[in-house]
Amino acid sequence: AQTVTQSQPEMSVQEAETVTLSCTYDTSESNYYLFWYKQPPSRQMILVIRQEAYKQQNATENRFSVNFQKAAKSFSLKISDSQLGDTAMYFCAFYAGGTSYGKLTFGQGTILTVHP
Amino acid sequence: DTEVTQTPKHLVMGMTNKKSLKCEQHMGHRAMYWYKQKAKKPPELMFVYSYEKLSINESVPSRFSPECPNSSLLNLHLHALQPEDSALYLCASSPTTSGGGLEQFFGPGTRLTVL
């Protein structure tokens, strides 16, 4: 079974600064996908960024980038130039493929607050 | 249209009521999901439908009954719920249930309160 661990229940950052959210996972699978989802207060969950395990290059989406360390089973999210709209709960999620039939394994989440 | 819609937004029901939650997507996705989410917790998967067939039931109590009438629509029928079933119920869809087609698009959820 897969596990996903987010060790930072809450974090805060000043507007325009950079923050990194941690995520580690445990799996015996060789082919898998990793995701960061964002859930703003009272708003719907959206995908921030995804990483295919077979790709060595770290994924980037505008101000969001990941540091994917496959050997260490680490998948951290860096948010640059933080904005007030980045305030949200962030979930790291893992998908093993194969016979998982779409089942995502989520971490416990990190509540990020961006202060003006 | 890259949206998953859910109705109603809020629902209050008694323990003896029967109600239904509805989810709709028009992105041509062939996989749809029901999740239950408690405050400040990750979503918990309840059911997965793939090509309109139930492929995963995460040992959900029978008082929750899913239905997928067609590829765009997903219902969750509720009957004889308990107060501990109060939560945000999220629907999601994805192109498929595998590989690069897995990216899940979430709806805004239905906030359910059981009295």
Side-chain angles (χ1 to χ4, degrees):
Chain A
Q2 283 70 232
T3 60
V4 177
T5 302
Q6 293 179 247
S7 58
Q8 305 149 316
E10 294 191 41
M11 293 191 73
S12 64
V13 65
Q14 293 296 126
E15 204 174 2
E17 292 186 348
T18 295
V19 64
T20 299
L21 308 184
S22 302
C23 173
T24 58
Y25 59 93
D26 190 23
T27 184
S28 56
E29 301 281 345
S30 57
N31 183 30
Y32 52 87
Y33 297 78
L34 294 160
F35 305 88
W36 278 99
Y37 279 90
K38 167 186 177 182
Q39 189 174 33
S42 301
R43 292 179 60 190
Q44 68 198 80
M45 193 174 308
I46 58 171
L47 180 69
V48 174
I49 201 164
R50 60 181 277 167
Q51 175 81 43
E52 291 87 346
Y54 64 85
K55 290 187 178 178
Q56 293 186 345
Q57 187 171 6
N58 289 327
T60 300
E61 287 287 345
N62 301 314
R63 298 181 296 106
F64 298 87
S65 61
V66 298
N67 183 4
F68 175 48
Q69 301 288 327
K70 191 171 183 179
K73 295 180 181 172
S74 170
F75 182 61
S76 60
L77 175 70
K78 185 171 87 170
I79 306 174
S80 303
D81 186 26
S82 297
Q83 300 176 0
L84 296 178
D86 295 333
T87 291
M89 190 154 192
Y90 288 80
F91 293 102
C92 178
F94 173 99
Y95 175 69
T99 57
S100 295
Y101 296 112
K103 181 175 178 178
L104 288 175
T105 300
F106 286 92
Q108 288 301 303
T110 296
I111 298 172
L112 175 67
T113 304
V114 180
H115 297 286
Chain B
D1 185 359
T2 58
E3 198 178 37
V4 176
T5 59
Q6 290 188 243
T7 53
K9 284 188 170 56
H10 300 276
L11 178 63
V12 179
M13 59 187 289
M15 288 164 43
T16 58
N17 291 156
K18 283 186 182 181
K19 296 285 185 184
S20 296
L21 310 184
K22 179 181 171 181
C23 172
E24 203 159 2
Q25 58 87 14
H26 296 288
M27 294 178 278
H29 290 175
R30 301 315 301 268
M32 296 186 77
Y33 311 77
W34 279 116
Y35 290 90
K36 172 183 177 181
Q37 187 180 28
K38 293 280 197 178
K40 297 187 179 181
K41 295 292 185 184
E44 299 171 31
L45 182 66
M46 300 174 73
F47 303 103
V48 180
Y49 274 84
S50 180
Y51 291 85
E52 298 151 53
K53 287 185 168 35
L54 183 65
S55 57
I56 292 182
N57 176 343
E58 290 286 280
S59 302
V60 178
S62 60
R63 56 186 185 269
F64 295 92
S65 175
E67 178 196 19
C68 189
N70 59 59
S71 60
S72 300
L73 189 57
L74 186 65
N75 298 319
L76 186 62
H77 303 296
L78 315 172
H79 173 56
L81 294 194
Q82 304 296 310
E84 59 265 28
D85 297 322
S86 298
L88 181 68
Y89 287 83
L90 296 171
C91 174
S93 72
S94 64
T96 67
T97 58
S98 62
L102 179 67
E103 177 183 337
Q104 294 188 19
F105 293 74
F106 285 82
T110 294
R111 177 75 60 190
L112 174 67
T113 302
V114 182
L115 300 175

